[in-house]
Amino acid sequence: GNSVTQMEGPVTLSEEAFLTINCTYTATGYPSLFWYVQYPGEGLQLLLKATKADDKGSNKGFEATYRKETTSFHLEKGSVQVSDSAVYFCALSDADSWGKLQFGAGTQVVVTP
Amino acid sequence: GAVVSQHPSWVICKSGTSVKIECRSLDFQATTMFWYRQFPKQSLMLMATSNEGSKATYEQGVEKDKFLINHASLTLSTLTVTSAHPEDSSFYICSARRQGAGIEQYFGPGTRLTVT
């Protein structure tokens, strides 16, 4: 079956540091890949997505590139802010599964001033 | 656009009682809604997929008689936890897929259920 593996947290960074959260996946087909963010006390929000190999999703300074050869979708941001403190979830959706999302375990990111 | 609400945001109930959680798409029609459960500091676990006007499809290991899902309209799905027990205490999250707009899901803010 499909699965998503992402690095464990918490990840603690200083403001303006570089952030990388690794995400790898296993899927039988050609899934779409997503990063969701959950801010404290709020629901999940779509951060970015990529639907085919070599696509790069980007939003709010975050980027992730769909790498089919390494089955990865790592999230990066060049300079984090305190407001980026949240839990980040990598997810995939297989076209054969009616759009159901398979989530990774989530990575908590804490950015300190 | 694409706002999903849940009601209530927080509920406490006594063991043995039932509680209903509503999920509404406020500004779009949702042919498909999903219900997830999230344990503290853990990921979301899909419980069931609900299509408007038809029976929900439950994931393996989810008791359909315990977690009743109804998707009576294109903007409303409900999850009823029947005969709740303390182990049902969790964070329940719904999401909705916009009609005719691909596979992207829009998430509600979640409902915290505590069973005493």
Side-chain angles (χ1 to χ4, degrees):
Chain A
N2 297 338
S3 67
V4 178
T5 303
Q6 62 181 104
M7 62 189 285
E8 289 187 24
V11 174
T12 303
L13 302 163
S14 297
E15 208 165 19
E16 299 183 3
F18 185 87
L19 170 68
T20 299
I21 304 176
N22 290 338
C23 171
T24 57
Y25 68 89
T26 302
T28 53
Y30 299 93
S32 295
L33 302 174
F34 305 84
W35 276 101
Y36 282 87
V37 58
Q38 187 176 33
Y39 297 105
E42 298 184 18
L44 270 75
Q45 301 174 27
L46 178 65
L47 182 59
L48 52 84
K49 66 180 181 182
T51 57
K52 62 182 187 297
D54 299 326
D55 268 2
K56 177 187 282 189
S58 61
N59 186 25
K60 299 181 181 180
F62 290 89
E63 290 185 343
T65 301
Y66 189 144
R67 301 285 188 202
K68 188 172 182 296
E69 63 276 14
T70 55
T71 61
S72 65
F73 193 53
H74 304 321
L75 182 69
E76 297 181 336
K77 185 173 184 181
S79 176
V80 293
Q81 305 299 314
V82 173
S83 57
D84 293 323
S85 298
V87 181
Y88 293 81
F89 292 93
C90 185
L92 70 80
S93 179
D94 191 330
D96 294 335
S97 63
W98 301 90
K100 292 190 295 187
L101 284 168
Q102 178 81 40
F103 284 92
T107 302
Q108 183 179 11
V109 172
V110 178
V111 181
T112 58
Chain B
V3 178
V4 176
S5 71
Q6 283 184 239
H7 177 80
S9 56
W10 183 43
V11 58
I12 300 174
C13 71
K14 292 189 175 180
S15 190
T17 62
S18 296
V19 61
K20 180 185 287 187
I21 301 169
E22 292 185 349
C23 175
R24 291 181 186 273
S25 54
L26 297 185
D27 51 2
F28 66 99
Q29 293 187 326
T31 48
T32 304
M33 289 183 169
F34 303 87
W35 286 95
Y36 298 85
R37 185 171 177 177
Q38 185 180 28
F39 292 98
K41 300 187 187 299
Q42 293 188 30
S43 189
L44 282 75
M45 181 192 77
L46 179 66
M47 299 174 66
T49 303
S50 151
N51 289 298
E52 185 265 338
S54 62
K55 290 184 178 180
T57 302
Y58 291 81
E59 296 299 301
Q60 194 171 9
V62 177
E63 298 176 61
K64 59 183 67 176
D65 293 332
K66 180 166 190 59
F67 298 99
L68 301 179
I69 292 172
N70 183 277
H71 191 161
S73 77
L74 286 172
T75 60
L76 173 65
S77 177
T78 60
L79 166 68
T80 301
V81 183
T82 63
S83 187
H85 291 284
E87 57 265 30
D88 299 324
S89 298
S90 191
F91 197 54
Y92 292 88
I93 301 173
C94 74
S95 70
R97 204 161 69 198
R98 193 199 300 253
Q99 185 178 34
I103 62 172
E104 186 168 340
Q105 295 180 29
Y106 302 93
F107 285 81
T111 297
R112 171 76 58 196
L113 170 63
T114 301
V115 184
T116 61

